[in-house]
Amino acid sequence: MGRMDKCRACYNCRTLWMAVLVPVALLPLPIINPSEVSRCGYCLLVMAFFWVTEIIPLAVTSLLPIFLFPLFGIMSAKDTCLSYAKDTLMLFMGSLIVAVAVERWKLHKRIALRTLSLVGPQPKWLLFGIMLPCWFLSMWMSNTATAAMMMPIVNAILEQIKHTRHQYETDGTEETSIVMQSRDPTHVKVELDASFKSSEVRSTQESRLSVNEKRQSIDKEFTCLAKSFSLCVAFAANVGGMATLTGTPPNIIFKGQADLAFSKAGGSEVNFANWLVVGLPISAVLFVFVWGWLYMYTVRTKILKCCQKDQDSYDSVRNVIRKEADKLGAMTFPEVIVLVNFIILALLWVTRKPGFIPGWGDLLKKGYSGDSVPAVMIATLLFILPAKIPGDRSVQAQGYQPILTWKAVNERMAWGVLLLMGGGFALADACQRSGLSRWVSGHLLEMSSLEPWIIAMVLSIIISLATQVTSNAATATLFLPIVGELATTMGLNPLYFMIPCTLSTSLAFLLPVATPPNAIVFASGYLQVKDMVLVGLGVNIFSLIVVNCALNAWAVPFYKLDVISDISTMNRTLGPNVTTRMVLDLTLPP
């Protein structure tokens, strides 16, 4: 076995030796300084290393607190396991089950094709038509599932454009050959001047060269268009998840961390309705910018001539979209059932506690309602409602079939994400109980001489860079407890730092490994890493500016984040009448 083979064998066994070496190498930390902060810091570093390197699955790393925290005397096994069954996790699980129903009956594909058929086949409107359903659907279902659904449709459109391009090339070649042939009878004579022969050969070569240049130009233009179409799927999915509380795991993690930070005040009361005030406008602004940015990237050269001037090409693309839509047929009974339940769930989320008027949550005993209630209720209902009209002959022949079966849910359910979030909540709880969050935030107090909005911007930049190479859920899990504690130590509302940091975890536009949607579109073969970095860098910079401007422009006035209050008397933290800039009597642990 050669040296290269030994190195390869060692690399293939990296899970084994890294899983042993890293915990052993970090052991001096709790041994030399046997405090609760050090023990919690040891567990945090081990989990952070495993999350970043993914030497074992992320979900498995999320189970480490169940045995690490009791062994190191940080939290009891009972308290640790409670973090894996929080109200926030039930909310996310219910929304995932509803998303499974949407996927199973292809309602998301019908929405996407319907949107594409309405916007038209012109390149700029095709770009908009691809982005709009991705953006909207990713608010309610997995960003990964949205991108995976949309890419086959995009590929079909691009194949039709490529076919039209080939026709354009053929037509151009034929026209050139006809011109060349039309010259021959005119200029072929019995007596030919030598100089004339030379000019004819030169003109023939120039004609052939122009055809080749035309083909190369069209190839570049098509490649540019294909890259834009691919990137718009990933970027729209990432931006859309920011809009709603259930749109992406970091938002749910933020909800859990906010509840933990305000546990002494009875909970943060972050809910679906008031998150829309922050997330939806930011997401909409970024959607418009991404559309314009990608369109500018597309038209930096002339857009495909076959897509710009030839009306037949428009008809060809329109026919492809129409054929894909025709394959779905008329809207089926289960699609109607799923759509109605989907709309009901969205309305229940928005009207539970809208803030400006009493919601249906006020009809229940105080503290008993939550966004998880309608989510799990509608999810349960989908296991009961029939997939076929009662009394139909097929029902009598095949028997009763519900909208959802457990087998279908189990195959599509993102159980790993639920475990990841549960492990994150356990880690955040341990950091707070042990005092590690306050210890870390105390060492960051050197930034307190800066204006709060500058600190928020710096933290956003750091987290947006970190999320390019790590899971956005893992990034939120590691950073949110620290930035929240930093805010309280500085006398600010934790939400002032937690909101921009949460949104920044979704600004993963630079690398294919940043998010699953990025990896899906990268696998299409149209993109290189430099393409994603080149286009994504501008989106990242603009997004960071928008997030922090929005925080101070309308989040602070709406939530009254600039009003000083004491947390012991604060019963509400979100809504039009809340007070949130507060002075806390917190001291760092010795």
Side-chain angles (χ1 to χ4, degrees):
M1 181 181 291
R3 181 177 298 178
M4 291 298 298
D5 293 333
K6 290 181 180 179
C7 292
R8 189 177 295 108
C10 182
Y11 178 77
N12 292 335
C13 296
R14 64 189 181 280
T15 297
L16 178 61
W17 61 264
M18 289 178 71
V20 175
L21 181 61
V22 172
V24 171
L26 294 173
L27 266 180
L29 176 63
I31 294 176
I32 296 175
N33 185 17
S35 65
E36 194 170 359
V37 171
S38 298
R39 293 195 298 269
C40 185
Y42 170 80
C43 298
L44 173 64
L45 290 175
V46 170
M47 291 184 65
F49 183 85
F50 283 13
W51 266 331
V52 172
T53 59
E54 295 188 40
I55 57 173
I56 58 176
L58 294 176
V60 178
T61 301
S62 304
L63 296 174
L64 295 183
I66 296 177
F67 66 87
L68 282 181
F69 291 170
L71 289 177
F72 283 87
I74 301 170
M75 286 173 59
S76 67
K78 179 180 178 181
D79 290 341
T80 303
C81 292
L82 286 176
S83 298
Y84 293 82
K86 288 183 178 290
D87 168 75
T88 307
L89 288 176
M90 296 300 104
L91 163 64
F92 194 58
M93 186 179 72
S95 65
L96 286 178
I97 292 176
V98 175
V100 169
V102 173
E103 291 180 50
R104 187 187 184 196
W105 297 105
K106 295 183 174 56
L107 179 60
H108 60 323
K109 189 173 183 179
R110 184 179 295 279
I111 293 172
L113 290 171
R114 180 61 177 167
T115 305
L116 282 170
S117 64
L118 289 175
V119 297
Q122 292 86 349
K124 64 178 179 181
W125 294 118
L126 274 179
L127 194 66
F128 181 84
I130 292 169
M131 288 183 62
L132 185 60
C134 284
W135 177 69
F136 174 76
L137 291 171
S138 62
M139 297 181 190
W140 315 96
M141 54 189 292
S142 164
N143 297 353
T144 306
T146 302
M149 174 274 302
M150 202 67 195
M151 277 311 295
I153 300 174
V154 171
N155 287 332
I157 294 172
L158 290 173
E159 284 297 322
Q160 183 57 46
I161 292 175
K162 184 186 292 185
H163 175 71
T164 308
R165 179 202 62 170
H166 288 317
Q167 288 181 341
Y168 176 80
E169 288 180 5
T170 303
D171 293 342
T173 305
E174 289 174 356
E175 289 173 6
T176 305
S177 63
I178 290 172
V179 171
M180 291 167 62
Q181 291 173 3
S182 66
R183 289 176 182 170
D184 292 340
T186 306
H187 298 289
V188 175
K189 298 180 180 179
V190 177
E191 295 181 359
L192 293 174
D193 185 85
S195 61
F196 182 81
K197 287 182 180 179
S198 175
S199 63
E200 183 68 20
V201 170
R202 204 162 43 246
S203 64
T204 302
Q205 291 175 345
E206 290 175 356
S207 299
R208 290 175 179 172
L209 184 61
S210 65
V211 172
N212 292 332
E213 289 177 349
K214 187 182 296 182
R215 288 177 178 174
Q216 292 176 0
S217 176
I218 293 176
D219 283 336
K220 289 181 180 179
E221 292 164 358
F222 173 77
T223 302
C224 185
L225 190 69
K227 288 177 180 179
S228 297
F229 280 14
S230 300
L231 287 172
C232 78
V233 172
F235 290 0
N238 292 336
V239 168
M242 301 166 64
T244 62
L245 193 61
T246 58
T248 186
N251 294 359
I252 291 290
I253 293 171
F254 161 76
K255 156 72 173 168
Q257 303 283 15
D259 288 344
L260 187 62
F262 288 92
S263 57
K264 294 181 181 179
S268 69
E269 297 190 11
V270 174
N271 58 47
F272 189 92
N274 53 39
W275 176 259
L276 286 174
V277 175
V278 176
L280 186 58
I282 294 175
S283 180
V285 171
L286 295 183
F287 171 82
V288 174
F289 174 79
V290 170
W291 176 46
W293 184 258
L294 287 174
Y295 184 65
M296 288 172 58
Y297 174 77
T298 304
V299 299
R300 63 176 190 234
T301 57
K302 304 175 196 174
I303 289 183
L304 286 173
K305 293 181 180 178
C306 63
C307 291
Q308 191 178 25
K309 298 179 180 178
D310 188 3
Q311 185 62 35
D312 292 338
S313 66
Y314 289 155
D315 295 335
S316 300
V317 174
R318 185 183 288 110
N319 289 336
V320 169
I321 298 173
R322 186 180 294 113
K323 286 179 182 178
E324 290 293 324
D326 290 341
K327 290 179 183 178
L328 296 176
M331 199 167 187
T332 60
F333 180 75
E335 284 182 274
V336 174
I337 295 295
V338 172
L339 179 60
V340 170
N341 281 271
F342 178 82
I343 294 173
I344 292 174
L345 175 59
L347 291 175
L348 288 174
W349 272 337
V350 173
T351 59
R352 182 180 74 85
K353 207 166 192 179
F356 55 93
I357 58 172
W360 62 265
D362 296 325
L363 301 176
L364 305 179
K365 191 180 293 186
K366 185 177 180 180
Y368 276 51
S369 68
D371 286 330
S372 61
V373 174
V376 176
M377 182 182 69
I378 295 296
T380 304
L381 198 60
L382 293 174
F383 287 93
I384 301 173
L385 295 174
K388 295 185 179 179
I389 302 176
D392 191 88
R393 293 182 180 180
S394 59
V395 175
Q396 299 175 358
Q398 300 177 6
Y400 165 78
Q401 180 185 1
I403 294 291
L404 279 179
T405 62
W406 184 251
K407 181 180 179 181
V409 172
N410 193 38
E411 289 174 351
R412 294 179 171 90
M413 191 70 170
W415 299 110
V417 177
L418 293 174
L419 289 176
L420 176 62
M421 294 167 61
F425 293 151
L427 184 60
D429 200 5
C431 290
Q432 187 184 53
R433 293 192 185 194
S434 66
L436 178 62
S437 295
R438 267 182 282 172
W439 182 85
V440 174
S441 63
H443 286 74
L444 295 175
L445 280 177
E446 294 180 0
M447 293 193 301
S448 61
S449 59
L450 302 174
E451 289 293 326
W453 68 268
I454 297 178
I455 300 175
M457 173 66 84
V458 171
L459 293 174
S460 301
I461 293 172
I462 293 172
I463 290 177
S464 69
L465 292 175
T467 198
Q468 307 300 330
V469 293
T470 60
S471 162
N472 56 5
T475 304
T477 300
L478 293 173
F479 280 96
L480 287 183
I482 295 173
V483 300
E485 195 66 39
L486 174 63
T488 56
T489 306
M490 292 176 58
L492 300 172
N493 189 308
L495 298 183
Y496 188 80
F497 287 164
M498 293 174 71
I499 288 175
C501 289
T502 299
L503 294 170
S504 296
T505 60
S506 296
L507 306 181
F509 305 112
L510 297 182
L511 297 174
V513 298
T515 62
N518 290 12
I520 289 172
V521 302
F522 187 78
S524 65
Y526 295 116
L527 295 169
Q528 296 178 347
V529 174
K530 65 179 182 180
D531 298 319
M532 192 166 285
V533 173
L534 178 65
V535 181
L537 184 61
V539 178
N540 249 82
I541 294 173
F542 181 80
S543 300
L544 285 169
I545 295 172
V546 168
V547 166
N548 285 274
C549 287
L551 173 69
N552 295 281
W554 67 77
V556 169
F558 183 81
Y559 296 134
K560 293 183 170 43
L561 299 180
D562 54 346
V563 178
I564 299 176
S565 178
D566 189 271
I567 193 171
S568 62
T569 60
M570 183 166 55
N571 295 319
R572 298 174 62 89
T573 62
L574 287 179
N577 301 315
V578 285
T579 57
T580 76
R581 177 155 187 169
M582 52 195 172
V583 179
L584 301 177
D585 185 17
L586 294 175
T587 58
L588 298 180

